[in-house]
Amino acid sequence: MGTTPTLTFIFDPEITPVLLDQVTDLWAEVSDAGGAVGFAENPVDRADIRSEVDGYAAAIAGGRVRLLVGLGEEGRPAATAFFALNGRRTVGHWGWLYTVMIHPSLQGGGHGRELLAEAERHARALGLEALRLTCRGGMGLEDFYGRCGYKEVGRVPGGLRLSAGDYRDDIMMWLPLT
């Protein structure tokens, strides 16, 4: 029986061209394996993902987004969560989690729960009082997040259109940190 691979988490890693390429690769692999990470086409267009990654990199450079990356044993990103910080006073006490993903080969081994716990730890260190995320209905993701302490606080029926005739609920989840 093999051992479960471990992840090494880094918050605010140096944003390098190599890291951006590796995050793009991870995102493509997760998406192509059926992951609900913003794309519905399979295979996904890598250029579309890279455009999103570059947008995150610009937001990180601007101080609006922070990155948590879980490195696999080979030192490549195998997990991510992007934190979007709110600049307005009325919502500055909570942050968004975006593009929460685990490499398909590591799913089902507790790494998703580990990633969320690490995100929660860093959110507290940032002084946040809550985390908010959204997930795609029809995949059981709200059940997973619920087991991790998140509560469903909103649902837009058919709010996501994956293709003609394939509409899914857009589900908002909330995790109080205080």
Side-chain angles (χ1 to χ4, degrees), residues 12-72:
D12 291 335
E14 180 181 358
I15 303 301
T16 65
V18 170
L19 179 65
L20 297 178
D21 285 343
Q22 291 173 337
V23 169
T24 300
D25 292 343
L26 171 64
W27 199 338
E29 290 178 55
V30 170
S31 188
D32 286 344
V37 286
F39 296 92
E41 56 278 350
N42 194 340
V44 68
D45 183 340
R46 192 177 189 286
D48 289 343
I49 290 178
R50 184 51 189 251
S51 177
E52 293 290 324
V53 169
D54 289 344
Y56 276 136
I60 289 169
R64 297 179 316 275
V65 170
R66 311 283 289 271
L67 172 60
L68 173 63
V69 64
L71 301 177

Side-chain angles (χ1 to χ4, degrees), residues 37-155:
V37 286
F39 296 92
E41 56 278 350
N42 194 340
V44 68
D45 183 340
R46 192 177 189 286
D48 289 343
I49 290 178
R50 184 51 189 251
S51 177
E52 293 290 324
V53 169
D54 289 344
Y56 276 136
I60 289 169
R64 297 179 316 275
V65 170
R66 311 283 289 271
L67 172 60
L68 173 63
V69 64
L71 301 177
E73 292 175 342
E74 69 290 338
R76 293 180 59 88
T80 64
F82 289 87
F83 289 73
L85 305 175
N86 295 306
R88 294 176 36 218
R89 284 184 226 176
T90 57
V91 293
H93 63 288
W94 59 268
W96 283 97
L97 282 185
Y98 288 105
T99 319
V100 176
M101 59 185 168
I102 301 289
H103 191 276
S105 69
L106 298 177
Q107 293 175 5
H111 296 297
R113 185 178 295 277
E114 185 181 10
L115 174 64
L116 290 175
E118 192 71 11
E120 182 179 331
R121 186 174 75 79
H122 287 287
R124 280 193 170 97
L126 290 171
L128 297 176
E129 296 174 20
L131 285 172
R132 183 174 175 178
L133 59 80
T134 61
C135 61
R136 182 185 302 172
M139 302 190 72
L141 295 170
E142 66 272 30
D143 296 332
F144 166 72
Y145 289 119
R147 290 190 302 274
C148 294
Y150 287 76
K151 304 289 184 232
E152 182 177 327
V153 294
R155 181 179 290 249

